[in-house]
Amino acid sequence: MHKFILKRLLMMVPVMLGVMFIIFTLNYITPGDPVRQLLGERTTQEDIDRVTRELGLDRPFAVQFGNYVRNAFRLDFGRSFVSRQPVFTEIASRFPTTMRLAIMGVIVSVLIGVPLGIISATKQYSIFDNTATVVGLLGVSIPNFALGLILVLAFSVRFRIFPPSGFSRPIEWVLPAITIGMSSAAIVMRMTRSSMLEVIRQDYIRTARAKGQKESKVIFRHALKNALIPVITVVGLQFGFLLGGAILTESIFAIPGLGRFMVDSIRQFDYPMVQGGVLFIAITFSFVNLFVDILYAFVDPRIRSQYK
């Protein structure tokens, strides 16, 4: 197990290098002058040249990228062009909010998707199964920003049940968590249904029923446990997507997280903040995938035996 974890950690290094290269290149070729955006339109050419040299933007691409990689491995992502504060400090103050929102979205998706998937599989082609399928398709089809606006209009403007913005009180977590978790809940539901349908047709399930075990015990102890591997994989992938999808959700509900801050940084051509934010999300996503792989061993004894 330790060798496996070490191997996966080493494999994260080229992934991070690839992410840094792609993001740095996209920012480098993006039209726009961050120095002019920073100083304003009425600044002189002398001031523009001076600030460009101070920020190191006059150096060749290879030199800039090499310096960025060297500093990034020391957790030095540079300073923000706008606030002049260290990028790592700015990210560290906002990332916990985005992480909390993504975790809530995962909880919503699991609490809704897994039970609906189990019931749909055990009652295949029933009215409940068809209804859950339609609801799942709607959940996947409706974008987060549209669902968020609908929820705000319905539960904040019309009925005044939940506040339309903020993220400091538990009551303010409800609408953002539902907004970001509904599309993932539909995907988890479909995967749970598909995996359960494959498992409950196996011979050992028929044997368990023939031995007279209760249907609930057959479903939850024998079938669900063996159907969890693909479900765990989907949940882990959805967590990474939720970190990226939090950008729109934070903008709708005025949540002071990393996603909303990155949107403002893109508008202001604050390249260090954009690069640092994307890299931080990529690192988090890689660790989530590592955690999912380790979780396989605790769910499936066959995988645990391979590690031994």
Side-chain angles (χ1 to χ4, degrees):
M1 178 67 76
H2 296 87
K3 292 182 179 179
F4 172 76
I5 296 176
L6 180 60
K7 182 180 179 180
R8 288 300 306 273
L9 290 175
L10 293 177
M11 290 174 60
M12 289 173 57
V13 176
V15 173
M16 294 301 104
L17 288 175
V19 170
M20 284 189 285
F21 178 77
I22 293 174
I23 299 303
F24 192 90
T25 303
L26 291 177
N27 283 331
Y28 187 83
I29 65 178
T30 299
D33 188 355
V35 177
R36 188 174 295 275
Q37 179 75 17
L38 178 63
L39 298 179
E41 295 295 334
R42 297 184 179 181
T43 186
T44 62
Q45 187 62 40
E46 290 77 7
D47 292 335
I48 293 177
D49 295 338
R50 176 179 55 80
V51 176
T52 301
R53 289 192 299 270
E54 291 177 356
L55 297 178
L57 299 178
D58 58 332
R59 300 174 182 175
F61 171 82
V63 176
Q64 293 185 42
F65 179 69
N67 293 334
Y68 178 74
V69 172
R70 183 177 66 254
N71 295 330
F73 279 99
R74 296 182 297 183
L75 297 181
D76 181 11
F77 303 111
R79 290 182 175 271
S80 171
F81 289 168
V82 178
S83 64
R84 305 302 299 166
Q85 297 295 320
V87 172
F88 185 81
T89 302
E90 296 279 5
I91 293 175
S93 63
R94 293 170 173 84
F95 186 73
T97 301
T98 301
M99 177 68 76
R100 192 196 320 168
L101 178 60
I103 292 175
M104 290 179 182
V106 170
I107 293 175
V108 169
S109 65
V110 171
L111 292 180
I112 296 177
V114 173
L116 288 181
I118 295 174
I119 299 175
S120 296
T122 55
K123 300 181 181 298
Q124 189 180 14
Y125 303 132
S126 64
I127 297 178
F128 182 89
D129 183 25
N130 295 331
T131 304
T133 300
V134 173
V135 173
L137 291 175
L138 289 176
V140 174
S141 303
I142 300 177
N144 285 345
F145 66 89
L147 179 60
L149 294 176
I150 292 172
L151 292 177
V152 169
L153 291 175
F155 295 100
S156 298
V157 179
R158 179 70 175 175
F159 298 107
R160 301 182 183 275
I161 300 176
F162 301 105
S165 62
F167 205 65
S168 58
R169 298 176 298 166
I171 194 173
E172 297 173 348
W173 302 347
V174 177
L175 294 185
I178 295 176
T179 299
I180 198 173
M182 281 303 296
S183 60
S184 298
I187 297 175
V188 172
M189 187 273 290
R190 298 300 299 172
M191 178 56 67
T192 304
R193 179 183 182 275
S194 176
S195 183
M196 284 290 295
L197 285 175
E198 182 179 353
V199 170
I200 60 178
R201 295 190 177 100
Q202 300 295 323
D203 293 337
Y204 65 88
I205 298 296
R206 287 194 292 266
T207 302
R209 286 170 174 165
K211 291 171 62 177
Q213 292 190 0
K214 294 181 179 180
E215 185 66 17
S216 59
K217 188 175 183 180
V218 172
I219 295 299
F220 290 101
R221 183 172 181 178
H222 298 284
L224 180 60
K225 192 173 183 180
N226 289 279
L228 277 180
I229 292 298
V231 177
I232 292 174
T233 303
V234 169
V235 171
L237 293 175
Q238 289 303 309
F239 182 81
F241 295 144
L242 292 179
L243 284 175
I247 295 177
L248 293 176
T249 305
E250 290 176 0
S251 300
I252 293 172
F253 294 97
I255 299 175
L258 180 59
R260 184 185 177 192
F261 189 66
M262 286 180 60
V263 172
D264 297 335
S265 300
I266 293 173
R267 293 172 180 170
Q268 299 168 345
F269 297 98
D270 194 350
Y271 294 158
M273 275 304 313
V274 177
Q275 295 166 1
V278 174
L279 183 61
F280 218 78
I281 292 176
I283 293 174
T284 305
F285 195 12
S286 298
F287 275 105
V288 169
N289 287 332
L290 175 62
F291 175 75
V292 168
D293 290 341
I294 297 174
L295 191 60
Y296 289 161
F298 294 95
V299 174
D300 195 336
R302 294 170 295 183
I303 300 178
R304 185 163 58 248
S305 64
Q306 293 177 3
Y307 292 150
K308 292 181 180 178

